[in-house]
Amino acid sequence: MVLTEDPNSELMSGLVDSVKEISMLPECRNVCKKMHGNLVRRIKLLSPLFEELKDNNEELSEEETKGFELLRTALDSAKELLKLVFEGSKVYQTLQRDHIADKFNQITEKIEAALSEIPYNKLNLSEEVQEQIELVHAQFRRAKGSPELQDPQLEVDLAIAQREKEPDPAILKRLSEKLHLRTIDDLKKESLAFHELAIASGGDPGDWFKKMSSLFKKLKDHVQMANPEADCSEAEKVMMKHRSPVIPDDFRCPISLELMKDPVIISTGQTYERSCIQKWLDAGHKTCPKTQQTLLHTALTPNYVLKSLIALWCESNSVELPKQPGACTSKNVRSSISYCDRAAIATLLDKLANGNLEQQRSAAGELRLLAKRNVDNRVCIAEAGAIPLLVELLSSTDPRTQEHAVTALLNLSINDINKGTIVNAGAIPDIVDVLKNGSMEARENAAATLFSLSVVDENKVAIGAAGAIPALIKLLCDGTPRGKKDAATAIFNLSIYQGNKARAVKAGIVPPLMRLLKDAGGGMVDEALAILAILASHQEGKVAIGQASPIPVLMEVISTGYPRNRENAAAILWSLCTVDSQQLKLARQFGAEEALKELSESGTDRAKRKAGSILELLQGVDAIVTQS
């Protein structure tokens, strides 16, 4: 290597900075503590390698640069995951611990793969650093694919806490310690993370939200009962008994300065008590009272996160929160939309129908946000007649307008009645066209919209007939990580209909699925296996999968994968072996009998059945050989 001004110094500096940032991350204190700590510890040990190469100031070859570039990408992914685990909901991570563990394993595999690309023997390293990096690499290699040992006590406590209405306080105490939800402050942070998850889900978070909510409430009640004055000094405890609690400024309405009961967000992003800001608007004001900015519209959006935090604060400080006057019920959704909300929506629809390009883009963007925020908005927007106008904008030549339109339809489609309205407006061909020709964001959201619509069985047929599947496969191949997930989810749901299985196979879906399946660090193994399992129930699917040399990777998943993946891999293997004895023989060569016996004892119920069926097939082959 020639001594010169190092063109790779930026790369090495970036790697040094990445390790420093990861080293400075706060300690994780939840069920992911061990995985989080192990990953941080191993990454820290890479620092001497980067420091020495940075100090050497030597030019790297193309081969060496490639390895370090891969490593930088892997460390960026690691940093993102570590932050997510530290900042995210502890209850969610506990209930989804297998999924989180899978993510840590994927990151470990990425780092190990990158380290394998670096030719250490060609680098000018000191003997000490050379030995250390080889040891670190060996640690990553051993950690790869080695699942974290489960905590039996945690498994039992969780099962009881979720099942029983009033669990034993000793169980709740163990869980609060394990999840590090010990104080009122811990509960506040968890509540914020909890509700951010709900909002990120688009307002319809599904069954897992109910499980989280139930478990969190039990833990919260336990902590507040066991330690009502947590985190307070003795002096503070004495004072607490003789004074009223001070209302945090963020919980006060900027107009009335009183504790907010029904906080709402206006177009400038400021939050006010609904009744106060409504009076301000009714008086004819067109500006934000706090910032004096001109309001883009007068729609009021409930601030659910703040409302939840206020409720939690009231509970912990024994403050009674008065009930909202005139609270609406789900039977009268329209009454919950204020006149100003409906008027604002009507104004936006007029811009969609009659405005210039800029006005249409802006109006579609506003409707997109309003439709995302809550159930009532989705009903009101649809009833006002927005859906046909948004469908027309799917053909807009302006990429941003098209993105807004398809995303607004996606958010509206969360409502089951709106699904029918969208399909009846002739949206499916236009959504498929966006999926084929739109920007990447538009394509991703078009795929998500097709998935949402495909929940209705008859829509699966129409979407498949409109040519969506080849476009979804293309997004699966060249999309962003999020785009690939959206495409895979849509393909899986569409393939429940038998006719779409054939369409997917003819469109060439099997080779890209096999590539995703073999790329353990790509984060798409779960989805690839799920789709292959459903395609394997179709004759053409079996043939195509059989031609893709699937046995080695299927046996690897059955031997070392996670429970759901092992189940799907066994289902695929069973489908192949029932029609092709060669696949059965090949599976035996890759250690099928031992792996399947273990699966038949420790797998899911379905996995056990499939493993038992394949073992019977293997025994049948043995019997034929013996007789001959």
Side-chain angles (χ1 to χ4, degrees), residues 151-188:
D151 183 339
Q153 185 66 64
L154 175 64
E155 301 286 336
V156 172
D157 287 348
L158 273 176
I160 295 172
Q162 291 180 84
R163 183 177 66 247
E164 295 185 1
K165 190 174 181 180
E166 294 183 4
D168 187 327
I171 290 174
L172 293 175
K173 182 179 181 181
R174 282 197 299 269
L175 285 175
S176 71
E177 290 291 327
K178 185 72 72 172
L179 273 64
H180 212 272
L181 294 175
R182 302 167 179 166
T183 67
I184 300 300
D185 189 48
D186 292 337
L187 293 174
K188 287 179 181 179

Side-chain angles (χ1 to χ4, degrees), residues 14 47 114 145 191 237 273 298 301 307 372 388 395 415-416 419 427 467 498 520 578:
S47 185
S191 181
K237 289 176 184 177
E273 172 63 34
T298 54
T301 303
K307 188 173 182 179
K372 181 178 181 180
S395 304
N415 179 285
D416 286 341
K419 285 181 173 69
Q498 196 74 357
T578 54

Side-chain angles (χ1 to χ4, degrees), residues 28 52 97 152 200 224 270 301 320 340 345 368 399 415 452 485 498 519 530 532 554 578-579 593:
C28 178
E52 183 158 308
R97 54 200 178 284
Q224 289 176 334
Q270 299 296 322
T301 303
E320 185 177 354
C340 285
I345 289 168
R368 166 185 179 171
N415 179 285
S452 179
K485 295 275 186 186
Q498 196 74 357
D519 180 14
L532 286 168
L554 289 178
T578 54
V579 296
E593 285 175 293

Side-chain angles (χ1 to χ4, degrees), residues 11-12 15 18 46 50 60 62-78 106-119 519 521:
L11 173 59
M12 284 303 142
L15 287 166
S18 290
L46 295 171
F50 307 142
L60 299 176
E62 185 177 340
E63 178 189 10
E64 293 160 353
T65 301
K66 177 188 173 185
F68 284 112
E69 288 284 6
L70 288 172
L71 192 52
R72 180 164 65 176
T73 302
L75 291 181
D76 286 343
S77 299
Q106 289 169 12
I107 294 295
T108 298
E109 289 177 346
K110 270 188 177 181
I111 296 175
E112 193 280 328
L115 290 172
S116 297
E117 294 290 326
I118 298 172
D519 180 14

